[in-house]
Amino acid sequence: MTTTVFKKPHFGKPDQCWRARLYSIIFEADTVAGRRFDTALLLVIVLSVATVIIDSIGAIRARDYLILNGLEWLFTILFTLEYIVRLICVKRPLRYATSLFGVIDLLSILPTYLAILLPEFHFLIDVRLLRMLRVFRVLKLPRYFDESQILLQALRNSRHKIFVFLGAVIIMSVILGTIMYVIEGPGNGFTSIPVGMYWAIVTLTTTGYGDIHPKTPIGQLVTSLAMLLGYGIIALPTGIVGVELAMSMMRRTPTTRTCEQCLTEGHEADSLFCKHCGEKLPPYQYDAVAASSPAKSRQN
């Protein structure tokens, strides 16, 4: 008996029709049309984020307000159309809308509309902050780069080890913060255990702001030991992620080929069955031009 394992939200690829063609262009990238769509979308994302950054400069905003406002609305309309098309070309639009990238796509367009619909509610929402939330569009970029997918996979594989590491750091911060609170006391700036924990985190990460520092010999000894400990623990997560990253890069470069049943991506070009649910895969659709460049695997 075959056990079906879903590794990601399955949005559902439509049956062979115009929606299926749209799905292949938008969610897959082994065709010339898919590559062109991704390239155009990347360009729009970069330009829109640059517009948001420039709009935060007061002198430029005062001088070119109409141009910046027009560009903002142009990008918002383009992203709105993209979001609607993504919802149309999947069988389960609600699942895409509630997925990570679906939420990011919504965040890229929502602030502009809310800033116009709710301009008078200053006591409920800061419109300037709402406008700055448009910078979340930059989160749309990583899905279009192979290297970002490899790094994301390495982080996902090492997440349990990293959580254990972070837990150990938190425990050390609590212990060191409590010790320094007892040794130094409020007279030397350590007014509470949370303040001591703040000092411990700053010291363990070797940041060393200098706003709080020990004045007693014992406290300085503890600080020296904490600094040496910090150099040791900083290298640990780097090694964990580095090993997973090397293992991910050693694997064969996947395609954007997708199983129509469970929507698992990344099957090899010569695969006959899905590596997760075991269903028979449709023929591999690709163009020679797109296939000649490195394949991409997207998390949508």
Side-chain angles (χ1 to χ4, degrees):
M1 183 175 66
T2 302
T3 301
T4 303
V5 180
F6 298 108
K7 293 293 184 179
K8 63 174 69 177
H10 42 294
F11 313 130
K13 185 175 182 178
D15 299 329
Q16 297 300 323
C17 62
W18 62 271
R19 292 174 62 199
R21 176 60 178 167
L22 274 179
Y23 183 94
S24 298
I25 294 175
I26 295 176
F27 287 92
E28 300 176 355
D30 292 331
T31 62
V32 172
R35 292 272 178 187
R36 288 175 178 173
F37 174 83
D38 288 352
T39 302
L41 193 57
L42 276 172
L43 181 61
V44 173
I45 293 171
V46 172
L47 291 177
S48 66
V49 173
T51 301
V52 174
I53 295 173
I54 294 174
D55 187 54
S56 67
I57 304 175
I60 298 180
R61 183 173 64 252
R63 185 187 61 196
D64 301 318
Y65 172 77
L66 292 179
I67 296 177
L68 293 173
N69 192 55
L71 287 174
E72 169 56 29
W73 272 107
L74 174 63
F75 294 135
T76 300
I77 292 173
L78 290 176
F79 287 133
T80 303
L81 293 176
E82 179 220 357
Y83 182 67
I84 293 174
V85 171
R86 286 183 182 273
L87 294 178
I88 289 176
C89 69
V90 294
K91 281 186 176 179
R92 304 174 182 89
L94 183 59
R95 288 188 176 178
Y96 177 77
T98 55
S99 67
L100 173 61
F101 284 113
V103 172
I104 291 175
D105 290 340
L106 183 61
L107 281 175
S108 69
I109 62 176
L110 198 58
T112 304
Y113 294 118
L114 289 180
I116 287 187
L117 296 175
L118 307 173
E120 67 277 9
F121 296 122
H122 294 286
F123 58 93
L124 292 178
I125 193 166
D126 189 340
V127 178
R128 290 177 299 173
L129 175 62
L130 196 62
R131 290 174 63 84
M132 289 302 102
L133 288 178
R134 295 173 298 171
V135 81
F136 276 104
R137 291 170 184 171
V138 76
L139 296 177
K140 293 164 68 70
L141 287 173
R143 75 174 85 173
Y144 300 102
F145 295 98
D146 295 332
E147 291 77 8
S148 66
Q149 299 300 325
I150 295 175
L151 179 59
L152 182 62
Q153 185 63 38
L155 292 174
R156 184 182 292 112
N157 293 339
S158 57
R159 64 185 182 277
H160 298 297
K161 300 174 185 176
I162 292 177
F163 287 151
V164 172
F165 165 78
L166 291 177
V169 172
I170 292 173
I171 292 173
M172 286 187 290
S173 300
V174 173
I175 295 174
L176 288 173
T178 304
I179 291 174
M180 291 302 289
Y181 171 68
V182 173
I183 294 175
E184 296 292 328
N188 292 330
F190 292 82
T191 56
S192 64
I193 292 179
V195 173
M197 292 174 59
Y198 160 76
W199 165 87
I201 294 173
V202 170
T203 304
L204 286 173
T205 57
T206 68
T207 304
Y209 291 123
D211 52 346
I212 301 176
H213 57 87
K215 297 180 175 60
T216 64
I218 299 179
Q220 292 170 353
L221 175 62
V222 174
T223 300
S224 300
L225 296 176
M227 288 179 179
L228 293 175
L229 182 61
Y231 280 112
I233 65 176
I234 285 177
L236 185 58
T238 305
I240 293 174
V241 178
V243 170
E244 293 292 343
L245 186 60
M247 293 179 63
S248 298
M249 294 178 67
M250 289 175 62
R251 301 188 183 99
R252 290 185 61 180
T253 303
T255 67
T256 56
R257 195 178 182 192
T258 307
C259 173
E260 294 183 353
Q261 296 298 321
C262 69
L263 270 294
T264 297
E265 297 178 356
H267 295 90
E268 297 176 359
D270 57 353
S271 297
L272 298 178
F273 299 94
C274 176
K275 57 186 176 182
H276 288 147
C277 70
E279 290 291 331
K280 186 175 181 179
L281 293 172
Y284 178 39
Q285 299 180 8
Y286 70 96
D287 293 334
V289 175
S292 62
S293 57
K296 298 186 304 179
S297 177
R298 279 197 257 158
Q299 303 288 332
N300 278 291

